[in-house]
Amino acid sequence: MNRIYLDHAASTPMLPAAIDAMRPWVELECGNPSSLHENGRRAKAAMDEAREVLADSLGCLFAEVLFTSSGTEAANLAILGSALANLEGGRRRILMSAVEHHCVLHTEPILRKLGFKVDLIPVDREGAVDLNALDDLLGDDVLLLSLMHANNEMGVWQPISEAFSMARGHGVLIHCDSVQSYLSKDLSEVEADLITLSAHKVNGPKGAGAIHIRAGIKLQPIQVGGGQEREMRAGTEDVAAIAGFGAAVRAHRKDPSLMGGKRALRDAFLDALNGSDAALTIADRHRILEGHAHLRFPGFDAETLLIALDQAGISASSGSACSSGSLEPSHVLSACGYSPAEAKEGLRFTFGWPLTPEVAKEAAHRLLDVVARIEATRASRR
Ligand code: PLP
């Protein structure tokens, strides 16, 4: 049976262009980009090429893009680096939405030890931040707002334009976790001071992330040692992964259908589920990421379905990759007001290159078969 991978929000297959760009740095080249000799200069040139591609995609300056090892590290640097650089000021509160990725939410205990108070912004039933609540929470004692562009679990787009302009009015620093939205939306329009990205979500390799730090914004590094990445992120860079990241971004920009094709895949899947008991958590497809389908079969916990789907050759997820395998109810669905039992029912199917609409449709049929089989087994036990 052919396996169908529908977990593109967790990680994506690498584009051939990304593999080709990495190959010399794995097979042949050994230069350290900090070395002054020719091997080192070649490594630095490969990184600079990738930095140029990312800066161009973000509509920012070359020097405003720094590489990290992951989206997680980039978000940690954005949040903890902002806090550490502002220990002396009077701004002691940090706001983040209740549905942020754990790489944002789990900075809270460290921020608390540093003397900051974290306030979570509540969300509506579809996971979008409540702008009235944000308005109430904002004040001149707030240092930073961390609000993701699109949620990795339900896929909902956050109202970032409104939220960020409200925050600006109070002189608040703004971090936007754009790991899920990168290359789906034009980030040059995102009015944030700090934007964080990850290579493996855009058909690049694992092991590379990036942070855009707007010129003039001061962060304190959270990793110290050598002077790499403008002394903001010590440690010898993974040149192969960074070269692969740049090549993947370049390939997407050259061929927008690689990203643009996601909608047709997702729609083929959802259309094939029409008339079934699948309950979409967000009915309006324009409110969610193009390649995202998030749903529940009420009464069926996600873990049972995911195991049965795996046996039926479908790789899907219940939410963020970092928490898959855990029995905990989803923090995202809980924040949306779902009961603990319902918050264990969320299923995430995410689509992308090189799937076809026919395969997406077949996946939907296999899902319906799995649900029908489990239902029949339950009925026979009653
Ligand atoms: N932010 C979001 C919204 C994510 O979905 C993820 C990964 O799932 C991350 C951050 C972390 O990125 P990485 O896997 O590169 O650490």
Side-chain angles (χ1 to χ4, degrees):
M1 186 196 338
N2 61 326
R3 176 153 285 273
I4 307 179
Y5 180 80
L6 300 184
D7 204 6
H8 289 243
S11 202
T12 53
M14 278 212 278
L15 288 169
I19 297 170
D20 289 346
M22 293 177 77
R23 196 163 278 129
W25 303 100
V26 177
E27 291 178 352
L28 300 169
E29 301 269 4
C30 67
N32 183 322
S34 298
S35 298
L36 294 178
H37 49 63
E38 185 175 329
N39 302 78
R41 290 199 303 276
R42 273 207 300 269
K44 182 166 181 308
M47 281 183 25
D48 284 351
E49 201 180 314
R51 202 184 308 278
E52 190 74 60
V53 173
L54 263 78
D56 193 48
S57 74
L58 295 168
C60 72
L61 300 172
F62 174 84
E64 291 178 321
V65 176
L66 302 185
F67 289 109
T68 62
S69 65
S70 61
T72 295
E73 188 197 324
N76 275 217
L77 174 58
I79 298 167
L80 299 175
S82 296
L84 287 167
N86 290 282
L87 287 176
E88 307 302 332
R91 293 179 179 262
R92 309 306 293 171
R93 283 197 300 130
I94 290 178
L95 309 184
M96 42 185 77
S97 86
V99 295
E100 294 298 302
H101 189 270
H102 284 143
C103 67
V104 169
L105 290 174
H106 288 181
T107 59
E108 192 275 340
I110 304 174
L111 292 168
R112 193 166 6 106
K113 282 187 188 150
L114 292 173
F116 292 89
K117 178 172 184 290
V118 172
D119 287 321
L120 295 184
I121 315 157
V123 296
D124 65 18
R125 183 75 176 173
E126 299 192 329
V129 282
D130 176 341
L131 291 171
N132 290 324
L134 171 63
D135 196 27
D136 290 344
L137 286 167
L138 278 166
D140 295 344
D141 60 341
V142 175
L143 175 68
L144 174 79
L145 165 67
S146 189
L147 178 59
M148 65 203 326
H149 198 177
N151 181 259
N152 49 296
E153 197 166 318
M154 293 168 76
V156 68
W157 291 104
Q158 294 292 353
I160 58 165
S161 309
E162 297 87 338
F164 292 174
S165 80
M166 286 161 68
R168 281 248 172 276
H170 291 272
V172 170
L173 279 171
I174 296 166
H175 166 231
C176 186
D177 173 347
S178 301
V179 163
Q180 292 291 341
S181 62
Y182 186 38
L183 303 175
S184 287
K185 277 252 162 85
D186 179 4
L187 297 194
S188 66
E189 287 165 16
V190 173
E191 299 259 338
D193 301 302
L194 303 155
I195 295 177
T196 50
L197 311 171
S198 174
H200 72 104
K201 311 288 188 178
V202 291
N203 309 102
K206 293 161 187 72
I211 178 167
H212 163 232
I213 306 176
R214 198 165 58 76
I217 298 298
K218 296 269 172 287
L219 297 187
Q220 183 172 315
I222 54 170
Q223 190 164 305
V224 293
Q228 290 92 349
E229 297 302 282
R230 298 180 181 265
E231 305 201 341
M232 284 305 303
R233 194 270 175 188
T236 302
E237 301 90 338
D238 185 340
V239 182
I242 292 168
F245 192 1
V249 174
R250 186 189 290 114
H252 275 294
R253 285 172 56 78
K254 218 163 130 192
D255 181 2
S257 74
L258 290 170
M259 275 290 168
K262 286 180 172 193
R263 185 188 298 274
L265 298 168
R266 187 270 315 271
D267 287 352
F269 176 81
L270 285 182
D271 291 348
L273 294 181
N274 262 345
S276 74
D277 289 340
L280 301 185
T281 48
I282 301 176
D284 181 353
R285 295 181 194 180
H286 296 291
R287 291 202 66 199
I288 51 180
L289 285 159
E290 287 79 4
H292 227 86
H294 188 262
L295 49 92
R296 296 162 44 236
F297 282 91
F300 289 79
D301 73 84
E303 193 167 344
T304 307
L305 284 178
L306 289 172
I307 292 169
L309 280 169
D310 196 25
Q311 285 162 355
I314 307 264
S315 300
S317 157
S318 62
S320 113
C322 310
S323 62
S324 62
S326 123
L327 284 173
E328 293 300 301
S330 145
H331 75 281
V332 174
L333 287 177
S334 301
C336 294
Y338 286 87
S339 71
E342 290 168 338
K344 285 187 171 186
E345 293 175 345
L347 290 173
R348 181 182 74 177
F349 301 90
T350 47
F351 300 82
W353 176 87
L355 291 165
T356 62
E358 291 67 37
V359 170
K361 221 180 284 172
E362 184 188 331
H365 293 142
R366 283 194 211 172
L367 168 61
L368 293 177
D369 282 350
V370 160
V371 173
R373 251 188 293 125
I374 295 175
E375 219 157 22
T377 312
R378 281 183 182 176
S380 70
R381 286 198 191 126
R382 268 184 222 127

